[in-house]
Amino acid sequence: MNEMQHFQELKRRVLERYRQDYPYYQGDWKTFSSQDILNLIALLENECKETVSEKWIYTHLKPETNTKLPRKNMLHVLCRYVGVSSWDEFIFEPLAANPTVVSKEVANRPKRGYFWLMGIGVLLMAVAYFLWLHKKEANMPPVKLQNQYTKEAVDSSEVQVYDATNSAAVKPITPQQLEEKVREKPLAVLVKSPFYKDTIVQIPPSTSVQTPTVVALQPDDYAMMVKAFLKADITDWQKRKTQLQHILSEDLEVVVMLKGGLGAEFYNKAQFVQKLTIPTPVLKRWEIVDIKNEPDGTLKAIRIKQE
């Protein structure tokens, strides 16, 4: 295994480690969102006392393949995050973790003791597999969020989970707190999102199940349409304008929170429709954080942050 292959393995283990704190994220580096990047930066700063920029993550971790190895000091940081002291130690991990290398070394040794060495190698591989399987089960998230219709995984940055065991005191909880709470007792959780209907589900104790509880979230079609309009290129602006007139309340209020705490911008329905039917780069930097609906389902309030 060369250094670039070692780096790909390190990237895989960084994602594995990230899911311990954010078990709802089941994607890969390609689907790693801007919010996930901010989460990872905070984790690295908190656990490794090092600062990593968003640009660095986009340059070295987001690509499916890499042609250039990052600086060694940054490799040290990622290694410490996954529990290895340094990059040198990472690429020099026990040969048992790489069965191909073990096989080559055994083949090149004298025939004397060949079967004894083979037995040791098989034993080490079995132990490594058992440890990997145990770790995989330990890292298994208690819930798996997915779109009710498409069955695709829901981006963890688009949801907030609340402890709803006590209906009189519903409290937001982090993924880590959720894992701790369901270790020994069942838990009722409320899942909220700007793009999905509120969903309450009962989660059994994690010690009594082998697979995560699947939570199917029903999408809010109108909210999904506005989300798509923000990111998609316009091909038929008149059709989009007609659709927006249909899904937006006449009393719509839109608040856009500007980046860097510079204040906010306010739009009514006519202004918002005009904004979404004029192709400008700023739309792709808007992220919806909250949506409220009228009784008929039309959107009456939208809160957006500018990235």
Side-chain angles (χ1 to χ4, degrees):
M1 182 181 290
N2 59 38
E3 285 194 326
M4 293 306 301
Q5 290 172 320
H6 277 293
F7 181 53
Q8 291 300 322
E9 171 64 15
L10 178 58
K11 287 170 59 174
R12 184 189 68 79
R13 287 171 60 174
V14 168
L15 268 184
E16 252 186 24
R17 176 65 181 81
Y18 178 77
R19 293 189 188 104
Q20 293 180 24
D21 291 286
Y22 295 92
Y24 307 126
Y25 184 74
Q26 296 298 309
D28 53 21
W29 284 114
K30 185 177 180 180
T31 59
F32 211 66
S33 69
S34 58
Q35 183 59 53
D36 290 310
I37 289 175
L38 294 177
N39 294 341
L40 179 59
I41 289 173
L43 288 171
L44 291 172
E45 186 171 352
N46 182 55
E47 299 184 22
C48 304
K49 311 304 179 187
E50 298 284 353
T51 301
V52 179
S53 70
E54 292 183 52
K55 181 179 179 181
W56 190 91
I57 292 178
Y58 273 106
T59 302
H60 297 288
L61 299 185
K62 285 278 288 180
E64 292 187 27
T65 58
N66 300 82
T67 58
K68 184 179 179 182
L69 201 66
R71 297 196 314 272
K72 198 169 183 179
N73 64 322
M74 299 305 298
L75 293 172
H76 289 328
V77 174
L78 296 182
C79 288
R80 294 206 305 274
Y81 178 63
V82 301
V84 182
S85 65
S86 68
W87 171 247
D88 295 325
E89 180 183 344
F90 184 83
I91 61 177
F92 194 71
E93 284 184 328
L95 293 176
N98 188 339
T100 303
V101 176
V102 174
S103 301
K104 288 181 179 179
E105 289 212 348
V106 171
N108 291 332
R109 290 183 179 180
K111 294 298 182 180
R112 186 180 61 181
Y114 175 81
F115 292 106
W116 179 82
L117 289 174
M118 179 181 289
I120 293 295
V122 171
L123 178 62
L124 289 174
M125 289 169 60
V127 171
Y129 175 76
F130 174 79
L131 293 175
W132 172 82
L133 187 62
H134 179 73
K135 181 178 180 181
K136 182 179 179 182
E137 291 180 353
N139 292 341
M140 188 176 295
V143 297
K144 180 181 179 181
L145 304 176
Q146 66 181 30
N147 186 301
Q148 177 177 324
Y149 303 121
T150 66
K151 308 305 180 185
E152 295 178 348
V154 172
D155 190 336
S156 60
S157 66
E158 295 181 352
V159 300
Q160 174 62 62
V161 179
Y162 297 82
D163 181 353
T165 305
N166 181 358
S167 58
V170 177
K171 300 178 181 178
I173 55 176
T174 65
Q176 184 176 359
Q177 290 172 330
L178 176 60
E179 286 193 42
E180 293 173 354
K181 285 177 176 287
V182 299
R183 281 176 184 165
E184 300 297 337
K185 60 181 182 180
L187 184 70
V189 298
L190 167 64
V191 182
K192 296 177 69 69
S193 169
F195 311 110
Y196 297 90
K197 305 293 179 65
D198 292 356
T199 303
I200 295 181
V201 63
Q202 295 285 339
I203 305 177
S206 57
T207 54
S208 65
V209 296
Q210 299 300 317
T211 57
T213 300
V214 176
V215 180
L217 301 180
Q218 182 181 356
D220 181 326
D221 295 333
Y222 290 170
M224 287 290 194
M225 288 175 68
V226 173
K227 175 186 175 185
F229 288 166
L230 290 180
K231 303 301 180 184
D233 294 326
I234 298 177
T235 55
D236 188 341
W237 68 269
Q238 186 59 49
K239 179 179 179 181
R240 175 180 290 195
K241 187 174 182 179
T242 302
Q243 291 173 326
L244 287 169
Q245 292 289 351
H246 176 70
I247 70 177
L248 300 178
S249 168
E250 291 300 324
D251 299 321
L252 175 71
E253 292 183 355
V254 178
V255 179
V256 179
M257 299 174 290
L258 300 178
K259 188 175 182 180
L262 297 179
E265 294 177 344
F266 296 84
Y267 299 89
N268 59 27
K269 179 177 180 178
Q271 293 167 334
F272 190 62
V273 170
Q274 182 181 21
K275 191 76 174 177
L276 263 63
T277 51
I278 298 177
T280 58
V282 72
L283 292 182
K284 296 186 183 298
R285 300 201 301 271
W286 281 7
E287 294 288 343
I288 297 174
V289 296
D290 189 37
I291 285 179
K292 290 183 172 57
N293 303 76
E294 297 280 13
D296 63 358
T298 56
L299 309 182
K300 69 176 181 179
I302 304 175
R303 183 175 291 270
I304 296 171
K305 69 175 181 179
Q306 182 171 298
E307 294 290 341

